[in-house]
Amino acid sequence: MLEEVERWLSTRSWSANDRPLHQILAAKQRTGQTVSVVLPALNEEATVGDIVAVIRHDLMRQVPLVDELVVVDSGSTDRTSEVAAAAGARVVHRDAILPRLPAVPGKGEVLWRSLLVTRGDVVCFVDADLRDFSSDFVSGIVGPLLTEPDVALVKAMYDRPLDGASGQGGRVTELMARPLLNMHWPQLAGFVQPLGGEYAARRSLLEQLPFPVGYGVELGMLVDALHLAGLDALAQVDVGVRKHRHQDGQALGRMAAAIYRTAQLRLARGHLIRPSLTQFERSRDGFAPRTYSVDTEERPPMVEIAEYRARSAA
């Protein structure tokens, strides 16, 4: 590990317990910064309501840390929107944001569009499939942004159990993202959960970043933030244990392909010869190939969007 990264680990890796809630709230009041929490959601009716309820109770009613809580529904076919609204979130459909630009499927697309329907100086993203959710996931990663003026992006780190085994989750992280980062962006080798969906950042940073529309958004954002803001502007906070729905091996393969593609473009801004991935499924006649397209689109920095500039000027 680089000496720079070892130093970073000692100065930019914290625990959620390092900043008590009253300290974070005092910093928020002193600086006048506002906080938005965004939950990107697709068919998460089983979990989204509990997450919204915990954030509203702990961080909006008990203490005024979160100023707005928005669920962006990316086309759910279940009751995600109704459950989220009943729990107290403002729900916005992906397609209603920037309608002149047709939406494409993907998590990164939803996160990018969320910048147009939120106002906070600090924007916190939380996946909507978490179980046994704790508000530490929000206060822990928002805290450094309110107390440390030179920090611009904070990722959550946590243990990810799989089938009861500690530390076995995050398979794409260990098999794809971590090797890529260590080999090509070794300054980022200290991040425990580089692909984690829980992170917060200053709007002033997010609006300058391109957003890969799909699964590559977390890796792309981390790499681009490093180049734009520098390693010392990045941090991570231990928030405990993350429990969520795990995907099957083929879904993870498609995720890994999108992440590799995101890395490839950042390495060379090159051209993908074949932006697709073929996998195999057993059928009655043997193994049948199934080919999936790999996300190849990225949204530009939000500051380049006329509607966003007009809103900011209003």
Side-chain angles (χ1 to χ4, degrees):
M1 183 176 290
L2 296 177
E3 183 177 334
E4 179 184 8
V5 176
E6 292 182 351
R7 178 193 54 77
W8 178 85
L9 280 169
S10 66
T11 61
R12 287 292 185 263
S13 292
W14 296 296
S15 165
N17 296 327
D18 290 338
R19 291 175 179 80
L21 200 51
H22 68 83
Q23 179 184 340
I24 298 171
L25 187 61
K28 178 179 188 287
Q29 294 170 339
R30 183 176 64 252
T31 60
Q33 297 178 87
T34 54
V35 177
S36 300
V37 176
V38 173
L39 275 67
L42 177 63
N43 295 329
E44 303 294 357
E45 67 172 317
T47 50
V48 68
D50 290 341
I51 298 172
V52 169
V54 169
I55 295 173
R56 280 189 57 81
H57 176 269
D58 292 0
L59 303 179
M60 299 181 83
R61 293 197 187 105
Q62 286 198 333
V63 297
L65 180 64
V66 173
D67 298 284
E68 64 176 345
L69 175 54
V70 180
V71 171
V72 182
D73 191 327
S74 60
S76 298
T77 56
D78 64 2
R79 297 181 61 253
T80 290
S81 290
E82 294 87 342
V83 170
R90 175 161 65 95
V91 179
V92 184
H93 196 281
R94 174 199 63 197
D95 297 344
I97 307 170
L98 199 63
R100 73 166 175 85
L101 195 64
V104 297
K107 179 184 178 182
E109 177 83 352
V110 174
L111 300 183
W112 182 73
R113 289 175 185 261
S114 75
L115 297 180
L116 269 165
V117 293
T118 55
R119 291 280 184 176
D121 302 304
V122 171
V123 183
C124 175
F125 298 120
V126 177
D127 282 350
D129 66 341
L130 302 188
R131 295 183 284 110
D132 300 334
F133 178 77
S134 165
S135 59
D136 285 348
F137 273 73
V138 173
S139 59
I141 57 178
V142 166
L145 293 163
L146 298 177
T147 61
E148 309 288 337
D150 53 348
V151 170
L153 184 148
V154 182
K155 296 215 62 145
M157 56 177 167
Y158 33 67
D159 186 38
R160 296 181 65 180
L162 176 64
D163 298 330
S166 176
Q168 295 304 306
R171 291 161 287 174
V172 175
T173 292
E174 300 304 330
L175 297 175
M176 175 61 71
R178 200 176 308 286
L180 282 172
L181 292 176
N182 274 264
M183 288 187 290
H184 299 296
W185 297 281
Q187 287 178 295
L188 298 174
F191 276 94
V192 176
Q193 296 292 351
L195 300 185
E198 291 69 46
Y199 47 98
R202 300 190 190 280
R203 176 177 295 272
S204 57
L205 173 65
L206 292 172
E207 66 187 11
Q208 297 181 70
L209 299 178
F211 277 61
V213 298
Y215 287 125
V217 63
E218 275 84 22
L219 183 134
M221 187 179 296
L222 205 54
V223 170
D224 293 338
L226 172 68
H227 289 297
L228 189 64
L231 181 59
D232 282 341
L234 313 181
Q236 60 185 349
V237 172
D238 188 348
V239 296
V241 179
R242 184 185 198 267
K243 298 179 182 178
H244 66 111
R245 183 186 66 253
H246 291 281
Q247 301 193 56
D248 63 32
Q250 292 210 332
L252 295 180
R254 297 189 289 276
M255 184 184 300
I259 290 165
Y260 178 75
R261 164 262 168 197
T262 300
Q264 182 195 45
L265 290 183
R266 277 153 181 77
L267 284 168
R269 294 294 170 184
H271 174 67
L272 276 180
I273 297 173
R274 183 175 181 268
S276 59
L277 174 72
T278 299
Q279 297 177 317
F280 294 87
E281 298 175 6
R282 182 179 286 281
S283 67
R284 289 181 299 178
D285 300 321
F287 285 98
R290 299 284 186 270
T291 299
Y292 301 87
S293 62
V294 174
D295 297 322
T296 58
E297 189 168 355
E298 295 196 6
R299 294 305 191 187
M302 188 57 78
V303 290
E304 298 179 10
I305 301 299
E307 290 89 339
Y308 186 81
R309 294 199 304 271
R311 189 196 74 162
S312 299

